Amino acid sequence: MLKFKNPERVATLETPFWYYDMDLFRSTVDAVVAAASKYDIKVHYSIKANTEKRLVEVIKDRGIGIDCVSGNEVRWSIVNGVEPSGIVFAGVGKSDAEILYAMKVGIGSFNCESLEELEILEAIAAKEGLRANVSLRINPEVDAKTHKFITTGLEMDKFGIPKRFMGKAVEMLKNSPHLDFKGLHFHIGSQITDVENVFTNECRSAKGIIDYFEEQGLKVSTIDLGGGLGIDYHNPDSHAIPEFDLWFKTLRDNLPLRPGQELHVEPGRSIVGQCVSLISRVILVKEGEKKNFVILDTGMNDLLRPALYGAYHKIENLDGAGRELRLYDIAGPICESADVLAEDRVLPETRRGDLIAIRSAGAYGSVMSSGYNMRTPAYAVFSD
Ligand SMILES: Cc1ncc(COP(=O)(O)O)c(C=O)c1O
């Protein structure tokens, strides 16, 4: 059950709000930094998961770089003190303006996702008299065994360069006077829980691809294996800090590096997911024909994941101690049938005004929120 650091104060706040457990966040960052140093791995935080300024500041102060997927994420990172050289920029559709901005500030590397993009990068650099570091995101054709909307490394996904175009990419890079080839990038999907098997498969596939580029005479200096480490949505208290050590050990054990090669990763969810809960109050409990509904003052406008992916979040009634258990669907106030946060959940008998915690909401939560139905968005509250 969620415990607030300052419960009396929190009880007086208007809902809904995102409650940031900053102690847990700092401990999680400590854990990823310690594991990265143990296995000699460079980390870039995937800022798309949560762009909150206070998180970015802690991450930057601990020497973690940033993985971006838009020009505004690059800009936001720099505004918050991140060195441009510590930024990598992926994404299947970078606009000319985004590319030009990132080239001018001198980001660490573009993670290029198509031959078409490679051509555009070279043309913009040539026109502006600039140089840019480029890594190629190759589609490793590895099944991440996760939800189909968060799988990214299969042949039918829109991400990355298909393997059959690798020869063409080598030729283009050898003839690109303004692009410096840095290395290879892979990302197979998100919320991966079968850590050893799935990441071992990723390493095997990456190895063959790295060997190919080296054989073709391109030196692969950085190998970025993406993000994807899953978190335990069912047991946020007993598994508050994800298994960074196991993930990094699996990568190290299965991908031998040549001298001078660096291993990089880009975790998002695993760094921020467990550190935030969405706090809401019950507007009313509605008796339906076949089900009873708890209607909250938050919904898909704040937390889209259940509607978008059918994602599971643990839901707790913080005022329900000692009451009998009942079965409910937990829904938001939005005029959409998809605005259901959870179905068939057992909660203590729930009443109008009860405080509800939707756990593990730190990743892909606030960043995906919208102003739909003109509802006032949830705001951030920090435990400290
Ligand atoms: C290229 C890339 N890297 C890293 C990540 C972060 O993944 P996760 O939050 O699962 O660690 C993503 C997420 O979609 C991604 O697309």
Side-chain angles (χ1 to χ4, degrees):
M1 184 82 87
L2 177 67
K3 285 198 178 57
F4 294 119
K5 197 166 176 180
N6 30 18
E8 293 80 25
R9 171 108 203 283
V10 166
T12 66
L13 297 175
E14 266 188 49
T15 53
F17 59 86
W18 305 98
Y19 179 76
Y20 283 74
D21 181 337
M22 294 304 283
D23 293 335
L24 177 58
F25 175 65
R26 286 193 196 90
S27 305
T28 308
V29 173
D30 285 348
V32 75
V33 167
S37 135
K38 179 171 165 192
Y39 294 102
D40 195 15
I41 289 177
K42 167 87 188 147
V43 178
H44 291 92
Y45 165 60
S46 198
I47 196 170
K48 67 169 83 68
N50 190 318
T51 54
E52 172 55 51
K53 186 180 176 61
R54 288 211 50 207
L55 305 189
V56 179
E57 281 168 2
V58 172
I59 281 168
K60 170 211 60 171
D61 288 346
R62 300 302 305 271
I64 296 174
I66 305 284
D67 161 47
C68 299
V69 284
S70 73
N72 284 341
E73 286 187 357
V74 174
R75 195 172 279 113
W76 181 241
S77 304
I78 292 173
V79 163
N80 284 292
V82 177
E83 284 296 323
S85 60
I87 295 175
V88 293
F89 184 8
V92 288
K94 305 174 183 81
S95 73
D96 289 12
E98 289 177 310
I99 291 172
L100 184 57
Y101 166 70
M103 268 185 197
K104 279 191 175 160
V105 296
I107 60 161
S109 178
F110 286 88
N111 284 336
C112 172
E113 303 229 13
S114 62
L115 299 186
E116 293 79 1
E117 182 188 338
L118 203 52
E119 216 168 80
I120 294 168
L121 289 169
E122 171 57 32
I124 292 177
K127 179 159 175 263
E128 301 291 330
L130 298 166
R131 301 195 69 78
N133 291 334
V134 172
S135 291
L136 297 182
R137 178 171 178 180
I138 307 291
N139 187 333
E141 293 163 21
V142 171
D143 188 353
K145 298 185 188 148
T146 182
H147 192 284
K148 72 174 166 41
F149 286 178
I150 46 176
T151 293
T152 59
L154 290 172
E155 281 157 310
M156 58 275 212
D157 295 325
K158 69 173 177 177
F159 301 98
I161 298 173
K163 277 194 200 170
R164 69 190 171 94
F165 294 143
M166 292 195 308
K168 181 82 178 120
V170 168
E171 197 186 306
M172 286 171 76
L173 280 165
K174 285 185 175 168
N175 294 307
S176 289
H178 300 87
L179 303 183
D180 298 312
F181 177 68
K182 284 312 247 190
L184 295 169
H185 175 228
F186 310 91
H187 173 75
I188 54 176
S190 201
Q191 185 51 18
I192 294 166
T193 49
D194 188 2
V195 176
E196 282 166 288
N197 284 322
V198 171
F199 287 110
T200 298
N201 289 342
E202 183 188 27
C203 288
R204 283 200 191 118
S205 175
K207 186 176 176 319
I209 295 167
I210 295 160
D211 288 347
Y212 174 83
F213 277 82
E214 294 260 335
E215 280 157 19
Q216 299 302 309
L218 287 185
K219 187 165 166 30
V220 179
S221 308
T222 61
I223 301 159
D224 181 341
L225 292 174
L229 178 65
I231 62 171
D232 190 342
Y233 281 96
H234 290 262
N235 304 292
D237 293 321
S238 52
H239 284 143
I241 298 184
E243 300 193 80
F244 296 113
D245 202 278
L246 176 66
W247 181 29
F248 293 166
K249 182 176 183 326
T250 305
L251 301 182
R252 269 287 175 200
D253 286 352
N254 291 287
L255 190 68
L257 297 185
R258 296 185 170 89
Q261 281 181 336
E262 281 181 14
L263 194 56
H264 294 194
V265 290
E266 306 166 342
R269 185 191 310 271
S270 52
I271 295 187
V272 295
Q274 297 290 35
C275 308
V276 184
S277 296
L278 177 57
I279 309 299
S280 169
R281 281 200 191 275
V282 176
I283 294 180
L284 52 87
V285 180
K286 173 176 172 173
E287 200 177 316
E289 198 60 53
K290 298 222 163 105
K291 290 184 160 197
N292 290 329
F293 297 94
V294 172
I295 308 288
L296 300 180
D297 62 6
T298 188
M300 67 189 292
N301 55 314
D302 288 317
L303 185 64
L304 185 60
R305 299 186 68 256
L308 184 63
Y309 312 129
Y312 177 96
H313 286 266
K314 187 166 191 210
I315 297 186
E316 297 166 343
N317 183 335
L318 303 178
D319 292 326
R323 299 187 200 154
E324 269 181 40
L325 298 179
R326 301 270 163 84
L327 193 64
Y328 298 105
D329 276 14
I330 296 144
I334 299 295
C335 290
E336 293 285 341
S337 306
D339 185 28
V340 176
L341 293 161
E343 281 182 279
D344 297 326
R345 290 293 176 88
V346 176
L347 286 182
E349 188 222 326
T350 295
R351 301 174 189 159
R352 172 173 162 79
D354 282 352
L355 204 57
I356 301 290
I358 302 161
R359 306 292 308 275
S360 316
Y364 310 106
S366 56
V367 285
M368 284 195 197
S369 65
S370 76
Y372 191 34
N373 285 188
M374 287 188 82
R375 296 202 72 87
T376 306
Y379 60 102
V381 171
F382 300 95
S383 60
D384 57 356

